[in-house]
Amino acid sequence: MNETLEKRHMGLRASRAISNTIIYVILIVMSVIWLFPFVCIVLQSFRVESTWQVGYVIPQKWGWDNYVALWNSDFKRWYLNTFVIALVVAALQTVIVLCMSYTLSRFRFKMRAGLMRFMLILGMFPGMLTMIILYRVLKDLGLTQANAVPGLILVYVASSGMGYYVSKGFFDTLPKSLDEAARVDGATRAQVLTKIILPLAKPIVIYTILTAFMGPWGDFVFARYVSFGTSAGMNVAVGMWNWLTPDMINQRYTMFCAGGVIVAIPVAILFMCLQKYYVEGVTGGAVKG
Amino acid sequence: MKKYSDLEFLRLSKSEKFFYKLASFFTSIPRAVARFFVGIWNFIVKKIFGTIASEIADVFLTFKNGDWKTRGSYLVMGLGLIARGQVLRGLLFLLFEIVFIFYMITTGGYWMSMLGTLGRVGPHEEYNEILDAYTTVYGDNSFKILLYGVLTIFFIVAFIYTWRLNIKQSKIAQEYEEHGRKLKSGRDDLRALVDEQFYKTLLALPLLGILIFTVMPIVFMILVAFTNYDGTHDGFNNALFTWVGWKNFGTMLSWEGGGNVYSAAFGEVLTWTLIWAFFATFTNYFLGMFVAMMINKKGIRFKKGWRTILVLTIAIPQFISLLYVSKMFAKNGIINGLLLNWGWIDQAIDFWGSTAHNALLPRIMVIVVNIWIGIPYLMLIATGILMNIPADLYESSRIDGANAWQQYTKITLPYMLFITGPYLLTSFTGNMNNFNVIYLLTGGAPVNPAASSAAGSVGYTDLLITWLFKITTGAGAQYYMASVIGILVFVVIAVISLIVYNVLPSIKNEEDFQ
């Protein structure tokens, strides 16, 4: 009896070892696939023997030439533009999103349900549709081309109230009795928000700041519209996209790689540091719908 | 279709149950759609007309019962409030009225009068005596007329609403006075804005932004679909544009002239958009869940390390990773170079295709690269949810002799689907509008000869959203067609959402999920 149990135990252990090995193999293969492009882009950024695409990964001659060329190009300006946009948007968008989500989570007013349904319907229109007119409006305000930075900030921030879902889901999980206890003690609604709720909302505040900060680094379509060929008003995505067009790619490919590294490193480091909050936000958002 | 009672349903075999559910799903779609339209009809007739009628009745009644202060508010907004001591509110009403009247007289009237035609005088040649030559003189600006016309209509609606509010408040103030109750002072009002009515303070700025930068542009673009606004009718520099009614919808859906150029292109693109959204959503969903389960499995080490590696694709801006990957798979890119060097192939593979012959490969490629981008998100989401599944469910199922596959289909999958149902829907509609992946990878290529005679040279990997974008660029930009496509995208997404919302829950309840 004991012997058979032992055997079964051994069998279980063996089968677990086999399945774990298979999983390790799969995970290692996946890691290679996931890392390969990023390793390539880093290695290619140090390649100096040619500036076009080549069919090998390891450079034949190494050097900082591409980074020096970046420093001497408009890249600096694009980087600064993007950085300023990202910082300002992160600050303002967070305020707007928190106002919106806190209100919709905590207050019960007459238009609430209608407002949420209305925004759900608005969200079904492709955002791209509104670009044409927003561009013309910004142009009338003089906020395009070289002045694209304030224009982009305005548009990003102004429509950010629509993205309240994730943080509303978070506020819904904070017990209402907290608010009520403070109200009984004589706090106004505004004090409840600033003194009680905000300190508890740290994870979602960080999540909102993080996503708001990362957004502008990737925006490409609208930024291209607004800068409209003027280098001084471009962000990194628009400027570097131009480097990979067919007539530029042979001179700029390795510079693109170097630029990609410079853009990705700070954003990726920030993301990795705040990963915990991002995961909380994303998971919460998916569960609440 | 035959409807079974509960008892009959339980007696069916497994496959019969499945087909019965499937059939009842599809037969209930028309009913759901019908219910939706009945709902809209009821909403319009009962809610909107009912409300307007009762509001109008109340306006007359208030006038009949009002004293001179209340009646005066009909003409001079805020009069009733100021006369009864609510000075702050009253002055705000009055100020709004003055601004409104001033605006309407100075500019608003002009925009409104032009809205019917979108401008009368276009750019034309006129003799200039000083230069002694004909020069171009610019007339009206259709774009501005439409834009400010829409804004003026918003303003008028806001004015009517405020006017109505002013009457309502005058009536309340009068009633309070008659009953000898104390009215709220301006200070009370201000205090309420940080307390009872704090929501008004909080929402003011976000809603203003949404109104001006989302609602107004959408209304404008819906209206553009009924004009001939395009690169050659830009409304100011070369020609005015004007209303054309439903003509553009006719062209797109080919009930009006021009053959079926657009409807063929629309059919092609819509089909691919739906196929793409389906695969992009579900490949990511199941593979992401699978990866999360692998990493979560007992005995697997470096859990955090694996996750960190995968999450890199989220951390790095998509324009870098997607653009780079698209170049890696180019004909002279690294992948082809390596495969050639290793001797696995003798000539470069055209991953992104250039002709109709290899249209399938680019389509598969965008889905595969999308998996690379999308698995990490799903892995994060699934990890969070999987950890919440009570461990004793698995424990007891193992004692009952369930194997891993049974555990997956009976516990893990139903749990995941139940919790992430709404997420699946938003992710499906999000993928339908997934501009970045398509545009940065292929730009829509390769060109689809069956559809390319429509504007924007439609390609095999073009989604509706990238087609829309292509149409709006260049000198021949057909903004009205882009707008029609945008409206159709909305219709498709709304219909899908409605069906899922209306039909799925009823099916879900029948599920044996506990």
Side-chain angles (χ1 to χ4, degrees), chain A residues 6 18 36 50 62 139-140 145 151 188 213 224 238:
Chain A
E6 192 107 306
I18 291 170
F36 182 65
S50 54
W62 297 66
K139 202 173 162 193
D140 277 1
Q145 302 196 320
T188 63
F213 183 81
R224 196 172 86 170
V238 179

Side-chain angles (χ1 to χ4, degrees), chain A residues 19-20 23-24 26-28 30-31 33-38 40-41 44 53-55 57 96 99-100 102-103 107 109 115 118-119 121-122 124-126 128-134 136-137 140 154-155 158-159 161-162 183 188-190 193 214 217 220-221 224-225 236-237 240-241 244 249 253 256-257 260 263-264 267-268 271-272 278-279 282-283 286-287 289, chain B residues 143-144 147 194-196 198-199 202-203 206-207 209-210 213-215 217-218 220-222 229 234 291 294-295 297-301 306 308-317 319-321 323-325 327-328 330 332-335 337-338 341 371-372 375-377 380-381 384-385 419 422-423 435 439-440 465 468-469 472 479 482-483 486 489-490 493-494 497:
Chain A
S19 70
N20 279 5
I23 288 178
Y24 277 126
I26 296 176
L27 286 177
I28 289 169
M30 278 183 70
S31 302
I33 295 174
W34 254 256
L35 289 177
F36 182 65
F38 300 121
C40 281
I41 201 169
Q44 301 280 304
Q53 292 207 73
V54 289
V57 179
I96 294 222
C99 282
M100 195 83 186
Y102 175 73
T103 313
F107 288 89
F109 48 95
L115 191 66
F118 182 63
M119 282 194 282
I121 293 173
L122 274 187
M124 291 178 185
F125 281 96
M128 196 132 313
L129 197 59
T130 61
M131 273 186 347
I132 305 159
I133 171 169
L134 287 178
R136 289 287 293 256
V137 170
D140 277 1
L154 183 65
V155 170
S159 41
M162 304 267 292
R183 301 267 292 144
T188 63
R189 289 280 204 172
L193 173 61
M214 287 177 63
W217 291 93
F220 156 74
V221 192
R224 196 172 86 170
Y225 248 90
V236 280
M240 286 170 61
W241 188 83
L244 290 192
I249 188 166
Y253 178 75
F256 174 87
C257 296
V263 170
V267 180
F271 182 87
M272 291 301 172
Y278 183 83
V279 173
V282 163
T283 321
V287 172
Chain B
F143 188 90
K144 282 193 173 168
L147 174 60
V194 292
D195 202 6
E196 277 317 310
F198 191 38
Y199 68 91
L202 287 176
L203 285 183
L207 288 189
I210 290 176
F213 285 87
T214 307
V215 178
I218 286 178
F220 180 91
M221 286 315 293
I222 290 175
Y229 173 37
D234 73 347
V291 172
M294 284 197 305
I295 296 178
K297 188 170 182 290
K298 241 190 252 161
I300 297 292
R301 296 175 62 192
W306 302 119
T308 309
I309 290 173
L310 293 182
V311 160
L312 262 181
T313 50
I314 307 181
I316 290 171
F319 89 92
I320 297 174
S321 49
L323 266 181
Y324 191 75
V325 167
K327 294 305 167 205
M328 278 175 72
N332 55 350
I334 281 185
I335 301 289
L338 288 179
N341 279 350
I371 291 174
W372 181 71
I375 277 188
Y377 285 99
L380 292 180
I381 291 169
I385 295 169
I419 289 194
Y423 170 80
F435 180 87
Y439 194 78
L440 293 177
I465 192 80
L468 188 161
F469 175 72
T472 62
Y479 300 115
S483 173
V489 169
F490 168 77
I493 289 181
S497 305

Side-chain angles (χ1 to χ4, degrees), chain B residues 12-54:
Chain B
L12 295 174
S13 75
K14 227 175 187 177
S15 63
E16 279 171 326
K17 271 182 188 168
F18 175 75
F19 284 113
Y20 176 72
K21 275 184 189 171
L22 199 70
S24 58
F25 174 81
F26 282 107
T27 47
S28 63
I29 288 177
R31 218 182 316 138
V33 173
R35 204 162 49 204
F36 167 67
F37 283 111
V38 170
I40 288 186
W41 178 250
N42 282 344
F43 179 75
I44 291 174
V45 171
K46 285 189 189 144
K47 267 273 183 53
I48 297 185
F49 282 113
T51 317
I52 291 177
S54 71

Side-chain angles (χ1 to χ4, degrees), chain A residues 163-193:
Chain A
Y164 65 86
Y165 296 97
V166 172
S167 48
K168 178 184 171 286
F170 177 86
F171 284 124
D172 285 344
T173 62
L174 293 181
K176 272 196 155 177
S177 52
L178 279 175
D179 298 41
E180 280 150 21
R183 301 267 292 144
V184 169
D185 291 343
T188 63
R189 289 280 204 172
Q191 284 167 335
V192 171
L193 173 61

Side-chain angles (χ1 to χ4, degrees), chain A residues 14 44 216 222 249 265 275:
Chain A
Q44 301 280 304
F222 189 61
I249 188 166
I265 283 178
Q275 206 194 122

